[in-house]
Amino acid sequence: MTLEEVKELDQKYYMNTFGSRTELCFESGNGIKLKNIDGEEYSDFFAGIAVNCLGYNHKRLTEELCEQVKNLMHTSSVYYVKNQALLAKELADNSCADRVFFANTGAEANEGAIKLAKNYFYKSGNPRTEFITLKNSFHGRTLATVAATGQEKYQKPYAPLIEKFTHVDANDIEQLKNAMNDNVAAVMVELIQGESGVRPLTPEYVNAVRELCDKYGAFMIVDEVQTGIGRTGRLFAYENYGVEPDIFTLAKGLGGGVVIGALCAKEEAAKGFTPGDHGTTFGGNPLSTRAGLVVIDELVNNGVLENAENMGKYFKNQLDELAEKYSEIAEVRGMGLMLGVEFKDEIAGKIGAYMRENKYLVGVVGAKVLRIVPPLILTKEDIDGFINVLNRALNEI
Ligand SMILES: Cc1ncc(COP(=O)(O)O)c(C=O)c1O
């Protein structure tokens, strides 16, 4: 099929929620390279929005998934699921969580986190109904997570929204202090706001969230859907802050491209769910949890996490050098391989397009920010190639 034929079908039959898509359709990939329908290769620094952490056609992941497909893909959680139990253990062993529930997406994991916190207080006999989240956050597209998301553009058509989410400015401790009260079930934060332009929370703020949650007996929920699974150079972004959440959520990178989400909680918070309180048909099936097992093992035991940390530092240095050279760059920020380049003017779209024309894929957030979230397996040579093209883009635009 040609791109034009795919477009024709898409325009006729697909419910268009994505606006005008980028004029590309990929058919295969290898390492950090994607090949489009016309056989052209692109270096991918977007990784399917921070998903494909092991890149494409990863030998072990592909082989284990093929084997799993042949053996068993799905049984439902009515039965015991070996890979689910093993992955829950891996996540618990490698994090501050004691228990894990598997969902299918980030929104679903966050929806579960909100339900868990609410149900915990309901069961305790002192129901709490309020959540505090941050302005410019993004937590997903279900009704509860749209209400949690601190951006009006996602909420408007769905009013009245689920009660009650209060949105406060990120990094403003006073505002958070004023918003806290005894009815708050949880404060939910992304430690680096990805969708609104790779904006890290300050360590002081994250510590204040923890302290205020402790003071008011509320849960601290960290949405690690984008920051989790090695993205920031640590397995979980909260490790960079030296603060442990009561509940955190995962999706994106956890399956290395296979659909999976996870709700992870400390023992006390996990008491919020008892049999019958929550459920899923697909969540944590043998196939997706096999993917999760490979991903975690590759990260923790086969050097991918270390690579993410090292390449993240190298990448940030190279970008900082570009920022010294070009006054068009206002700021370089982020951690590990979750990096943002903010321009002074609204040139991010142009830069992104130039890079695409030169066979590099990168995310563009709003008019001013590039979001760089490559596979965690990338090399110095890959980074040098990216920097070289970005340098040319800044020279020529
Ligand atoms: C921080 C964060 N939370 C939640 C979500 C929603 O995840 P999903 O699209 O898998 O539902 C996203 C997606 O971009 C995200 O970045």
Side-chain angles (χ1 to χ4, degrees), residues 47 109 144 174 181 249 252 271 284 298 310 313 353 376 378 381:
E174 276 313 301
N181 63 72
T249 53
K252 291 197 186 271
K271 288 180 186 161
E298 285 295 307
N310 292 337
K313 281 184 189 147
L376 307 183
L378 94 168
E381 290 70 39

Side-chain angles (χ1 to χ4, degrees), residues 6 19 24 126 145 148 162 167 171 255 257 275 331 352 362 393:
V6 175
L24 283 170
N126 291 306
T145 56
I162 288 171
H167 304 107
N171 293 328
E331 192 182 19
V362 64

